[in-house]
């Protein structure tokens, strides 16, 4: 793994730090607003939406502080450790999952309807499911070209969702229920539905189940997010070659 050198004043791009700071600030503010609008006690912290937003907020805050430090020192600052880019990659994958699953599975099956699923609570849901994810994804694509990766880094894409599935199963085994009867916060993870882990009955499609077993959804999402992770890394590598003239 190459070690990045200190940025020189000649190679410093203050506009990049200014743009990054603005995007990160807006993303964090939107996320915090949405989290506050959606907070209904400790159970809120069992939802992937809340956890992924908190995750990306913390990471963006760390990078935001680095923006300010570089601006204050005119670019004379040590580069961000590569380990932080790995963490940011996982946080970006997590918030992408929040964006994609809500857009394609949860909002369309919400009892309040698609638009109301986003805007029924003062647009708080819109902030955590759309605004912050879009800004976080754009932030990664535009500014993370200093991230040094290899092919195995794509596996980091499945770490957050797999940890979450394990977290939900453990909670449900201890008797935690969502909406009184559900074994998971989301219909596609509700293994307590009639379709369970391996069943299949599309006629049951609704707010408590997608009508297919949880295992099938986990497999589909695994393939999807390995693909998304690979795409993100490839985009990063293209940006890296163009901006720094190096590969990986």
């Amino acid at each position: 793994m190459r070690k990045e050198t200190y940025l020189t004043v000649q190679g410093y791009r203050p506009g990049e730090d200014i743009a990054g700071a603005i995007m990160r600030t807006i993303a964090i503010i939107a996320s915090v607003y949405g989290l506050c609008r959606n907070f209904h006690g400790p159970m809120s912290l069992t939802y992937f939406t809340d956890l992924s937003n908190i995750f990306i907020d913390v990471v963006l805050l760390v990078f935001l502080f680095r923006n300010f430090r570089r601006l204050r020192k005119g670019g004379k600052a040590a580069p961000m450790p590569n380990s932080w880019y790995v963490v940011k990659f996982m946080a970006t994958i997590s918030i992408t999952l929040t964006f994609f699953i809500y857009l394609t599975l949860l909002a369309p099956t919400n009892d309040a309807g698609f638009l109301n699923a986003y805007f029924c609570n003062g647009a708080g849901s819109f902030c955590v499911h759309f605004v912050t994810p879009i800004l976080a994804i754009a932030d990664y694509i535009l500014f993370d070209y200093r991230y040094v990766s290899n092919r195995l880094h794509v596996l980091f894409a499945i770490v957050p969702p797999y940890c979450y599935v394990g977290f939900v199963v453990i909670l449900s085994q201890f008797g935690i229920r969502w909406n009184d009867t559900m074994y998971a916060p989301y219909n596609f993870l509700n293994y307590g539905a009639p379709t369970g882990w391996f069943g299949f009955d599309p006629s049951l499609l609704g707010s408590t189940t997608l009508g297919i077993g949880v295992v099938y959804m986990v497999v589909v999402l695994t393939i999807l997010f390995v693909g998304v992770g690979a795409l993100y890394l490839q985009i990063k590598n293209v940006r890296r070659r163009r901006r720094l003239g190096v590969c990986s």
Side-chain angles (χ1 to χ4, degrees), residues 76 110 114 156 175 187 193 196 203 218 230:
K76 292 182 178 180
N110 191 289
F114 183 85
F156 286 118
N187 55 8
S203 67
V218 170

Side-chain angles (χ1 to χ4, degrees), residues 41-71:
M43 283 296 288
S44 294
L45 299 179
T46 65
Y47 286 81
F48 191 82
T49 292
D50 295 68
L51 296 175
S52 63
N53 269 268
I54 293 171
F55 188 14
I56 197 68
D57 287 347
V58 171
V59 173
L60 289 179
L61 191 60
V62 170
F63 278 76
L64 181 60
F65 284 150
R66 182 55 63 98
N67 288 140
F68 290 143
R69 183 180 180 186
R70 282 156 50 101
L71 285 168

Side-chain angles (χ1 to χ4, degrees), residues 104-121:
T104 60
L105 297 179
L106 300 180
T109 59
N110 191 289
D111 292 334
F114 183 85
L115 289 179
N116 280 334
Y118 279 104
F119 295 102
C120 65
N121 59 346

Side-chain angles (χ1 to χ4, degrees), residues 82-100:
N82 198 62
S83 56
W84 269 109
Y85 284 109
V86 174
V87 173
K88 190 164 182 283
F89 173 64
M90 290 192 291
T92 305
I93 290 293
S94 297
I95 205 68
T96 300
L97 177 59
T98 292
F99 167 76
F100 180 80

Side-chain angles (χ1 to χ4, degrees), residues 109-202:
T109 59
N110 191 289
D111 292 334
F114 183 85
L115 289 179
N116 280 334
Y118 279 104
F119 295 102
C120 65
N121 59 346
S125 184
F126 181 67
C127 287
V128 296
H129 292 114
F130 192 88
V131 177
T132 295
I134 290 297
L135 289 173
I137 293 168
D139 180 277
Y140 171 84
I141 292 173
L142 292 174
F143 306 122
D144 282 14
Y145 56 85
R146 293 187 180 278
Y147 170 25
V148 182
S149 63
N150 58 48
R151 292 180 180 178
L152 292 179
H153 279 215
V154 72
L155 298 178
F156 286 118
I158 61 175
V159 171
Y162 272 39
C163 287
Y164 181 71
V165 171
F167 171 65
V168 166
V169 170
I170 291 172
L171 288 181
S172 64
Q173 290 301 307
F174 278 96
I176 301 296
R177 296 291 181 268
W178 291 264
N179 298 326
D180 297 325
T181 61
M182 290 177 62
Y183 281 58
Y186 304 107
N187 55 8
F188 62 93
L189 289 179
N190 184 22
Y191 68 92
T195 49
W197 290 100
F198 298 98
F200 185 79
D201 187 354

